[in-house]
Amino acid sequence: MAIKFVLLVNKQGQTRLCQYYEFMPIDERISTEAEIIRKCLSRNDTQCSFMDYKTFRVIYRRYASLYFILGVDGSENELAVLEFIHNIVETFDRYFNSVCELDIMFNLEKAHLILDEMVMNGQIVETNKTRAIAPVAVMDQATASGK
């Protein structure tokens, strides 16, 4: 599965986390993000969670106040991507104990670390929740014992 980017966005359209796996110039990244977010937020619950945008397919899912948006190759299985989005949410839930927007905002580096354990270079490398959060848990133990 070739993932191009992962975005976490709130209902107001503010990006809370973004991770790109292919180079994109910053001005193009900003305009692409803004357009994708606008399109995702303007869709209602009865519409499909998949849409084509330029050279890739955008797949998103809303959990509480956060939209999890992934850009993938057009040939990817949309349902597998939705399942992976759910896996990301469950992994964040396990680490943050019911993840919310504030958890992502105040622990951005940990959210990035967990995501980096799950996706490397645009490829899914880990779906086991326990193994994905293990390095962050070790870091938490090290900082707790260092105090």
Side-chain angles (χ1 to χ4, degrees), residues 31-106:
S31 64
T32 299
E33 254 183 61
E35 193 168 341
I36 288 172
I37 290 168
R38 185 184 50 76
K39 286 184 178 193
C40 288
L41 294 178
S42 66
R43 295 168 73 93
N44 62 34
D45 292 339
T46 60
Q47 289 181 298
C48 182
S49 296
F50 322 138
M51 62 182 163
D52 289 325
Y53 180 81
K54 293 186 180 176
T55 61
F56 48 87
R57 182 160 292 149
V58 175
I59 301 168
Y60 70 96
R61 191 153 182 196
R62 185 177 141 220
Y63 287 90
S65 65
L66 282 175
Y67 284 83
F68 288 74
I69 304 170
L70 270 71
V72 298
D73 282 339
S75 62
E76 295 300 331
N77 182 337
E78 294 90 354
L79 296 177
V81 176
L82 277 176
E83 188 65 32
F84 182 65
I85 291 172
H86 187 69
N87 187 272
I88 293 171
V89 173
E90 285 180 334
T91 305
F92 283 166
D93 274 345
R94 183 173 291 183
Y95 181 76
F96 293 114
N97 295 323
S98 186
V99 68
C100 67
E101 182 180 350
L102 291 175
D103 291 324
I104 301 298
M105 287 173 56
F106 293 122

